[in-house]
Amino acid sequence: MEKSYYEILGVNKDASAEAIKKAYRKLAMKHHPDHNQGNAAAEEKFKEAAEAYEVLSDAQKRRIYDTYGKEGLRSSGYTGPGSSEDIFSHINDLFGDLFGFGGGRARRHDPNAPVQGEDLRYDIRISFMEAVHGINRQVEVTKRETCWTCEGVGARPGHRPQTCPTCQGRGQVVRSQGFFQVTTTCPRCHGAGQVITDPCVDCQGEGLVNRSKKVSIRIPAGVDTGSRMRLAGEGEGGRRGGPSGDLYVVIHVDEHEHFQRDGQAIYLRLPVSMARATLGCEADVPTIHGTAKLKIPAGTQSGERFVLRGEGVPSLRGGDKGNMMVEVQVQTPTKLSKEQKELLRRFDELDKEQEEEGFFARLFHGHLGKQKKKDEGQEKVANG
């Protein structure tokens, strides 16, 4: 089984950013190619740790990974840590940020860089039949959208954000602690690299405003509980010209009173009277698509199953539908008229006579057969 990013770094899922950074630094130093020349396994572990740290050290990537796994990261455009040169540069910067050596430096923050909006999650509940056949739903989502007044800049029209005087636009400050240098997020601009002296009156300098929006969702036939849909650009708005995030819709399906589902297969327990099961019949069976005919052979016992092909759930990838499994449940009558009871008594008497005749005949013939073989055996011995 593929290890999670948390398992690769050896930390818990609720580990702090500092604990993640510490665990990564330890692994990176242990498996660095400069210390393991010619060791392909060490290099692979070094790359795995770099990828895990790149995701878990980024708040947005970590949130997507925790919610949707690697598939969610790929859907959001993440393709991995890049080339080996990118990885080495990344770890050198990490060591430099922590200890002030190895080529590390405080990377200059671009205060005008676009910022992509956050992804959102929306949980939706639908009925069993809506999941089977698909449905169009319109939902109302409250989210933060790019401010129309300042276009996501955060400053009042006609004014621009100013470079943060504390970090000089880097978004980080370097502090000396004895022999070491520690880089931390700027306490004044909180990493933005700039401060807004004249905030927009509509968004109060955030660049985003709360709005409710109706979103149309096309839920395809065949979804099930846990199915996820990605609506590109329907997440929170971006800032400074950045693109909007995505909206991830998570499906929850209600159970049905009679039908049960397992993947594309549908299961149904069909009640059949004792007389019809005994004599055989053709039954009208309810399915998720309507009604189907099922031939029940004479003498069918309770618990026997029959297959109705193509009466199951459509595949999300297209193609044939699944099958439906019908389990016969023979019903024992409880409320009978006087005439019905009399008929059943007569039936029971005839059935008992046949059963006893057959039983005693088998028992009698079986006993005679054994006795005959025994006598023949004794005769052979006597004639020696």
Side-chain angles (χ1 to χ4, degrees), residues 168-234:
Q168 302 301 316
R170 293 184 178 88
Q172 299 173 329
V173 291
V174 180
R175 294 173 179 169
S176 297
Q177 294 183 354
F179 177 74
F180 300 105
Q181 287 185 326
V182 179
T183 301
T184 59
T185 301
C186 176
R188 180 166 183 178
C189 67
H190 305 290
Q194 57 187 11
V195 292
I196 298 174
T197 56
D198 296 288
C200 171
V201 295
D202 289 335
C203 67
Q204 303 300 315
E206 290 291 326
L208 301 170
V209 292
N210 289 326
R211 288 197 179 93
S212 294
K213 180 182 178 181
K214 291 185 177 180
V215 180
S216 295
I217 304 174
R218 170 58 185 165
I219 300 176
V223 297
D224 203 352
T225 294
S227 295
R228 295 182 176 93
M229 299 173 58
R230 172 175 169 262
L231 302 182
E234 292 294 350

Side-chain angles (χ1 to χ4, degrees), residues 53-222:
Y53 178 72
E54 181 174 349
V55 171
L56 299 184
S57 63
D58 185 294
Q60 182 176 345
K61 289 190 181 77
R62 183 178 181 181
R63 183 166 56 81
I64 294 174
Y65 176 71
D66 287 346
T67 307
Y68 308 107
K70 289 187 177 181
E71 185 62 34
L73 288 171
R74 286 191 286 270
S75 299
S76 66
Y78 177 70
T79 57
S83 64
S84 297
E85 290 76 9
D86 293 335
I87 296 174
F88 296 146
S89 175
H90 180 66
I91 192 172
N92 284 336
D93 283 345
L94 172 69
F95 291 153
D97 288 344
L98 287 172
F99 303 106
F101 66 89
R105 61 192 182 279
R107 286 166 283 183
R108 188 165 185 86
H109 183 84
D110 182 2
N112 297 312
V115 179
Q116 182 174 352
E118 294 287 329
D119 294 329
L120 296 177
R121 168 174 172 155
Y122 187 91
D123 291 79
I124 186 171
R125 183 166 291 280
I126 60 176
S127 71
F128 186 92
M129 287 301 185
E130 287 173 338
V132 167
H133 299 293
I135 188 176
N136 289 319
R137 273 284 183 89
Q138 191 174 69
V139 299
E140 189 168 333
V141 180
T142 300
K143 58 182 179 177
R144 297 193 302 168
E145 289 191 339
T146 304
C147 178
W148 296 342
T149 304
C150 67
E151 298 181 345
V153 175
R156 192 170 58 180
H159 297 75
R160 302 296 301 175
Q162 304 297 314
T163 300
C164 177
T166 302
C167 65
Q168 302 301 316
R170 293 184 178 88
Q172 299 173 329
V173 291
V174 180
R175 294 173 179 169
S176 297
Q177 294 183 354
F179 177 74
F180 300 105
Q181 287 185 326
V182 179
T183 301
T184 59
T185 301
C186 176
R188 180 166 183 178
C189 67
H190 305 290
Q194 57 187 11
V195 292
I196 298 174
T197 56
D198 296 288
C200 171
V201 295
D202 289 335
C203 67
Q204 303 300 315
E206 290 291 326
L208 301 170
V209 292
N210 289 326
R211 288 197 179 93
S212 294
K213 180 182 178 181
K214 291 185 177 180
V215 180
S216 295
I217 304 174
R218 170 58 185 165
I219 300 176

Side-chain angles (χ1 to χ4, degrees), residues 281-355:
C281 65
E282 187 175 68
D284 290 326
V285 180
T287 74
I288 59 175
H289 304 291
T291 304
K293 295 287 186 180
L294 174 64
K295 187 174 181 180
I296 299 176
T300 295
Q301 302 297 304
S302 190
E304 287 193 46
R305 286 186 174 184
F306 300 91
V307 179
L308 293 176
R309 301 197 178 279
E311 294 293 345
V313 181
S315 171
L316 277 171
R317 301 178 181 84
D320 296 335
K321 299 183 181 71
N323 298 326
M324 180 173 175
M325 308 297 293
V326 181
E327 181 179 312
V328 171
Q329 297 288 311
V330 179
Q331 303 295 295
T332 301
T334 55
K335 295 181 180 180
L336 298 174
S337 67
K338 188 175 181 180
E339 184 180 0
Q340 288 173 322
K341 289 179 180 179
E342 186 59 36
L343 288 172
L344 278 177
R345 288 193 187 97
R346 179 58 182 153
F347 173 80
D348 183 51
E349 289 174 0
L350 293 172
D351 190 51
K352 188 184 296 183
E353 290 175 4
Q354 292 178 354
E355 183 177 302

